[in-house]
Amino acid sequence: MTIIAALRPLAKAPAEALARVRFVLTDMDDTLTHRGRLSARTYDAIERLRDAGLPVLPVTAAPAGWADQMARMWPVDGVIAENGGLFLRRTADGDVECRYWHGEEERTLAARRLEQLRQAIHAVLPEVKLVSDQPFRLCSLAFRAPSDPALRTALVRHFRNAGAEVTVNSLWVLGWFGGYDKLGMARRVMREVHGLDIDAVPEAVAYAGDSVNDAPMFAHFPTSVGVSTVIDFLSDIPRPPAWITRGPGGDGFVELADALLAARTPSPFFPEPRSAGDHHEP
């Protein structure tokens, strides 16, 4: 049986497992969005989850600049950005607090190394292009994912040869220095902000994603969901998501939201999450 044939449709996920979920973590690009757009129905699904007591936290490779806007204006409980480099959350006074994976001295050193790496890559691979949002990144270096597989492989190799972490998603080849990833920062944020140990209680979290950089999350959470386009990346994902949606991008996320809300019941084993407070209203 092929990996694709083995994927289970989300519609068959047991209600009792979905009912144990207390937080929804999700990739953004091509998971909340589709073809670069966020639909009204997807935004509404995030809001419906929030109103039902299921906080949503995007966990994305997108830059800090995007995440700042999302944390300020979206009905989310915060945003993990740049593949785990930082976490932004709206405060009671309407500002945004930022928690970095590393301290200031380590970030300064990493930024210097990333600029040196950028110059080295452009010297040998002039065809590759920086993403247009690179000026809004604080912890990472991102190139547009080349359509040529050989060029993409060469770009990834340059990151690794420099000792950088690197991942590929549907849009970018993204590199950074620091030894963290989406799962590492999610583990820290959920413990420090919500008092939840995701190693002890992984079933309290549902995760939605679509690409290679979601692999650690798919492997960790039993309620992991790939939107339909995840099939394009399965050959590079060691452990596929537990479930797959019918639709791509935001339509798939809406399917997940509807399934979670339909299964929502109080549980004596999983108390309600700490209130996000009125300051998380968009």
Side-chain angles (χ1 to χ4, degrees), residues 211-273:
S211 194
V212 178
N213 65 334
D214 298 308
M217 307 292 269
F218 289 152
H220 187 80
F221 296 109
T223 304
S224 61
V225 179
V227 297
S228 64
T229 52
V230 75
I231 62 174
D232 296 334
F233 300 94
L234 287 180
S235 62
D236 295 315
I237 297 175
R239 181 173 169 182
W243 310 98
I244 189 169
T245 66
R246 295 186 306 274
D251 285 348
F253 182 84
V254 172
E255 288 177 43
L256 172 59
D258 289 343
L260 290 171
L261 292 171
R264 183 89 164 123
T265 56
S267 168
F269 302 105
F270 296 99
E272 292 298 311

Side-chain angles (χ1 to χ4, degrees), residues 45-56 74-76 276 280-282:
I46 298 171
E47 198 161 46
R48 287 189 289 120
L49 288 167
R50 188 275 313 272
D51 291 346
L54 287 170
V56 177
W74 288 25
V76 296
H280 289 297
E281 295 291 334

Side-chain angles (χ1 to χ4, degrees), residues 46-249:
I46 298 171
E47 198 161 46
R48 287 189 289 120
L49 288 167
R50 188 275 313 272
D51 291 346
L54 287 170
V56 177
L57 291 86
V59 186
T60 176
W66 293 19
D68 181 274
Q69 188 272 345
M70 294 163 65
R72 288 177 191 275
M73 299 182 180
W74 288 25
V76 296
D77 197 63
V79 184
I80 294 173
E82 299 194 32
N83 224 62
L86 66 160
F87 172 67
L88 298 100
R89 194 181 197 218
R90 188 177 177 185
T91 59
D93 62 2
D95 203 354
V96 169
E97 67 172 351
C98 180
R99 304 185 186 194
Y100 291 94
W101 179 268
H102 286 308
E104 184 175 356
E105 184 176 347
E106 293 170 299
R107 295 199 309 273
T108 299
L109 176 59
R112 187 179 306 121
R113 294 179 68 191
L114 285 173
E115 173 56 20
Q116 292 170 346
L117 181 55
R118 181 197 67 77
Q119 295 177 21
I121 288 174
H122 274 148
V124 295
L125 298 174
E127 312 96 312
V128 300
K129 305 296 182 184
L130 281 176
V131 295
S132 59
D133 58 38
Q134 183 61 41
F136 309 114
R137 294 180 181 273
L138 298 177
C139 308
S140 59
L141 177 64
F143 292 89
R144 293 167 58 182
S147 57
D148 179 355
L151 186 57
R152 187 166 59 248
T153 299
L155 181 54
V156 168
R157 186 184 307 116
H158 276 284
F159 273 109
R160 288 179 176 157
N161 288 346
E165 309 286 337
V166 62
T167 192
V168 180
N169 68 8
S170 56
L171 299 176
W172 308 308
V173 176
L174 184 81
W176 65 95
F177 293 102
Y180 55 81
D181 60 10
K182 285 187 173 186
L183 180 60
M185 184 56 110
R187 181 179 284 115
R188 179 183 292 184
V189 166
M190 296 307 295
R191 181 181 66 249
E192 293 181 356
V193 176
H194 291 290
L196 178 69
D197 182 347
I198 65 171
D199 294 311
V201 197
E203 61 269 30
V205 173
Y207 183 77
D210 77 299
S211 194
V212 178
N213 65 334
D214 298 308
M217 307 292 269
F218 289 152
H220 187 80
F221 296 109
T223 304
S224 61
V225 179
V227 297
S228 64
T229 52
V230 75
I231 62 174
D232 296 334
F233 300 94
L234 287 180
S235 62
D236 295 315
I237 297 175
R239 181 173 169 182
W243 310 98
I244 189 169
T245 66
R246 295 186 306 274

